[in-house]
Amino acid sequence: MSHPFDTLTPDLVLDAVESLGFLSDARVLALNSYENRVYQVGIEGAQPLVAKFYRPGRWSDAAILEEHSFTAELADCEVPVVAPLQHGGRSLFEHQGFRFALFPRRGGHAPEPGNLDQLYRLGQLLGRLHAVGASKPFEHREALAVENFGHASLNTLLEDGFVPPDLVPAFESVARDLLKRVEDIYTRTPHQLIRLHGDLHPGNLMHRDEVYHVVDLDDCRMGPAVQDLWMMLAGSREERLGQLAELIDGYNEFHDFDPRELALIEPLRALRQLHYSAWLARRWDDPAFPPSFPWFGQPRYWGDQILALREQLAALDEPALKLF
């Protein structure tokens, strides 16, 4: 069976960019992206542009424009983000059935794991981002919740037959136990939903010339502030405590962090584990996925997942990280 992205050829990419009045130099470089398709396109006499083609059927136009509006709002408040370019008063375009946006190219490298100086500055950046994010809600983008990231993910994996039959009982048992514990912690943990980046792992932060830029707000949504913080932490519990202190010190300069949300770190990690497997399952008909993730669906993968979920279930019973 064909996939919609099969028709997204280099010529179509060039035609889409040139339909907005740019003159390309015919150089197209595919960038690392699976959910959407992203290309660097050379422009005659100017810096290359980055063209992002949205996965058909994933987001509504209103949801994409809400992402663009949030990014522009952040840029207007001098939060360093890579915002889509405006052309003729618009940021979302269509060409031969594909919706796309153009961005300026921003190079750089991800932060160094555990670098305390960097974490303080990242905290300042995230505090500024969340100060804007907390000012009003999204209207067209879903929230991060146990139902959609947890239960819906588990249902996808069980109903679509990705888990080997002999491993289904063990996988389903530990996953349901995990989700029950996650729900319990969510219910008793006070938290406020604000507009977030939503997928802020270090790869979505570019560091160059002493400036960090936030990139790829494709997954922005409503959720607890700690969702954008916990993936900055790495290492042992003692190391993470020191990193957390630096991160929150910087964050609190621009936005007040509620330390009660720290109890959600391990539940959010659990939801991310299930959601990641379900994401692979939902995208398996995309021809880019099987060669890029050949281990997915193999019995060993699911055995490892059962072990990882059991370890995560145990982590939910450990004391939450605390600020001192």
Side-chain angles (χ1 to χ4, degrees), residues 26-309:
R27 290 181 297 172
V28 179
L29 174 66
L31 303 180
N32 186 29
S33 177
Y34 294 103
E35 185 62 16
N36 304 295
R37 295 294 189 267
V38 182
Y39 303 90
Q40 178 177 294
V41 179
I43 302 298
E44 287 284 356
Q47 289 294 313
L49 295 175
V50 173
K52 174 182 176 181
F53 290 80
Y54 288 89
R55 177 173 292 272
R58 184 187 180 215
W59 293 118
S60 67
D61 286 359
I64 294 174
L65 289 172
E66 199 163 45
E67 170 207 337
H68 292 184
S69 177
F70 182 39
T71 310
E73 190 179 345
L74 291 167
D76 287 344
C77 293
E78 299 185 346
V79 178
V81 296
V82 181
L85 298 176
Q86 293 278 333
H87 184 79
R90 299 163 55 211
S91 60
L92 180 62
F93 312 100
E94 188 274 338
H95 187 75
Q96 294 190 23
F98 288 101
R99 295 170 299 172
F100 72 100
L102 298 179
F103 297 80
R105 184 182 65 173
R106 289 286 187 273
H109 53 84
E112 300 172 17
N115 185 309
L116 298 183
D117 290 336
Q118 289 188 350
L119 283 166
Y120 181 82
R121 294 171 58 198
L122 288 173
Q124 292 176 311
L125 172 58
L126 298 182
R128 294 168 63 197
L129 191 156
H130 286 178
V132 177
S135 64
K136 64 182 181 180
F138 282 133
E139 295 180 5
H140 302 286
R141 302 183 74 87
E142 66 179 10
L144 193 167
V146 180
E147 179 57 39
N148 56 4
F149 267 58
H151 292 291
S153 296
L154 178 58
N155 290 341
T156 292
L157 296 171
L158 296 177
E159 293 170 3
D160 292 353
F162 282 92
V163 185
D166 59 320
L167 296 178
V168 166
F171 180 80
E172 182 175 8
S173 176
V174 67
R176 295 204 184 281
D177 287 346
L178 186 71
L179 288 175
K180 185 177 185 305
R181 288 285 292 116
V182 168
E183 286 180 326
D184 290 343
I185 297 172
Y186 251 79
T187 299
R188 66 172 186 260
T189 302
H191 59 280
Q192 177 187 1
L193 301 184
I194 65 173
R195 292 179 296 172
L196 304 169
H197 182 285
D199 187 33
L200 200 56
H201 55 77
N204 278 333
L205 290 160
M206 292 288 102
H207 180 221
R208 184 177 183 180
D209 298 330
E210 301 304 315
V211 175
Y212 289 97
H213 284 87
V214 179
V215 301
D216 193 9
L217 275 80
D218 192 64
D219 284 299
C220 63
R221 64 189 70 237
M222 302 293 292
V226 73
Q227 167 65 11
D228 279 352
L229 302 178
W230 70 266
M231 283 183 274
M232 299 294 107
L233 309 177
S236 67
R237 180 181 177 87
E238 291 71 23
E239 289 172 323
R240 285 182 287 135
L241 284 170
Q243 295 164 17
L244 180 65
E246 292 295 320
L247 190 66
I248 299 302
D249 278 351
Y251 185 97
N252 281 336
E253 289 189 17
F254 296 94
H255 191 63
D256 291 334
F257 178 75
D258 184 347
R260 295 176 296 183
E261 287 193 10
L262 294 175
L264 295 179
I265 289 179
E266 295 307 326
L268 289 167
R269 193 191 310 275
L271 293 177
R272 187 173 179 84
Q273 287 176 285
L274 287 170
H275 186 262
Y276 179 72
S277 291
W279 173 68
L280 291 173
R282 291 165 182 152
R283 300 294 181 252
W284 206 241
D285 65 336
D286 184 331
F289 275 66
S292 300
F293 307 95
W295 35 261
F296 178 70
Q298 300 299 317
R300 179 175 179 178
Y301 173 81
W302 294 107
D304 290 343
Q305 287 304 298
I306 291 169
L307 177 59
L309 294 180

